[in-house]
Amino acid sequence: MAARLPASFIGSFLARSTPRQTCRFTRSAVTTTRWSQQLPSKSIRAYSSEAAPAPAPLYAKLKGDLKTAMRAKDAPRLAVLRAVLAAVLNASKTSQPIETDAQLVALLRKTARGYQEAADQFRAAGRGDLVEKEESQIRVLEEYVAGSGVQSVDEAELKDVVLAVQSELAAEGVDAKMGEVMKKLLGPGGRLDGKDVEKTTVARIVKEVMGTKA
């Protein structure tokens, strides 16, 4: 924005100036004012002082290990890390990004299942070399799951948690349908929030405990 000259200065200048100088001064002031008014508002950009949220610890480890695996030419680990990090990047472009260690562990388990299915197919085809390749990648995934620090919950514990949530909802006078129970279990602050559980497994246990009530 152009600086505004003091009124006293302008008055004294006009009093001393010839008509031609006054005309030039006036045109210059008008041009400067118009130029400043036409500047797009986006030319002055406000930057947020808020820092980006820190990545999940497990994600940071995967990123760091990728560089180590490249230097060490560790093919199985390199293949796993590239696949997992690519999946995280793809998820970041959707409405369900992977942002927590628990979500990352779920992705690691899903990836391991894919490798296991491939290993089974290669085994049936008599391709022992490819079976070993898939299983070496599964071992890498299992290593990261085990070292993630995310608490695992077995099926017996899941049943106990589902029963407890059912009782809570009943005490609150809420009709304990499956959707309400799942929300209490997996929603933010829920009994299973942040824990290493498969949503499909939780849904199956809820159905078993609740019978056919949907």
Side-chain angles (χ1 to χ4, degrees):
M1 183 179 291
R4 180 175 294 177
L5 294 174
S8 59
F9 173 83
I10 296 173
S12 62
F13 176 84
L14 293 177
R16 297 195 306 270
S17 301
T18 65
R20 180 176 294 180
Q21 289 175 322
T22 302
C23 183
R24 287 177 180 173
F25 176 82
T26 305
R27 282 203 303 271
S28 176
V30 170
T31 301
T32 303
T33 302
R34 286 176 179 171
W35 178 81
S36 64
Q37 289 176 343
Q38 290 173 0
L39 279 174
S41 59
K42 291 183 180 178
S43 63
I44 301 175
R45 195 171 186 178
Y47 289 90
S48 172
S49 60
E50 294 182 4
L58 181 54
Y59 178 77
K61 177 173 175 54
L62 296 178
K63 290 276 286 185
D65 286 359
L66 177 65
K67 297 177 183 178
T68 304
M70 290 175 69
R71 288 194 294 267
K73 297 182 180 180
D74 186 342
R77 190 173 301 273
L78 196 55
V80 165
L81 292 172
R82 281 176 171 164
V84 171
L85 292 173
V88 172
L89 178 61
N90 291 335
S92 70
K93 302 173 185 178
T94 70
S95 59
Q96 295 181 319
I98 296 172
E99 299 175 330
T100 66
D101 280 353
Q103 290 172 319
L104 263 174
V105 168
L107 174 62
L108 294 175
R109 290 191 181 281
K110 180 180 178 180
T111 305
R113 287 197 299 270
Y115 287 148
Q116 187 59 61
E117 290 172 2
D120 292 341
Q121 292 174 2
F122 290 138
R123 186 175 291 106
R127 294 297 306 273
D129 56 329
L130 296 180
V131 171
E132 174 54 31
K133 177 183 176 182
E134 299 298 318
E135 289 183 343
S136 65
Q137 293 174 343
I138 292 171
R139 288 192 291 271
V140 172
L141 289 163
E142 290 175 343
E143 174 190 322
Y144 283 114
V145 171
S148 67
V150 178
Q151 181 184 349
S152 297
V153 183
D154 61 30
E155 292 197 7
E157 292 174 308
L158 278 177
K159 288 180 180 179
D160 291 340
V161 172
V162 172
L163 287 169
V165 168
Q166 263 190 311
S167 299
E168 287 177 8
L169 290 172
E172 294 170 5
V174 178
D175 187 10
K177 292 185 178 180
M178 184 172 177
E180 291 294 333
V181 174
M182 292 290 287
K183 189 185 300 183
K184 275 275 191 179
L185 291 169
L186 298 173
R191 293 288 192 99
L192 301 176
D193 184 27
K195 293 183 172 58
D196 176 18
V197 292
E198 292 282 351
K199 188 174 181 180
T200 53
T201 302
V202 175
R204 176 173 58 79
I205 297 297
V206 170
K207 285 181 180 179
E208 289 176 4
V209 172
M210 299 182 64
T212 58
K213 193 173 185 180

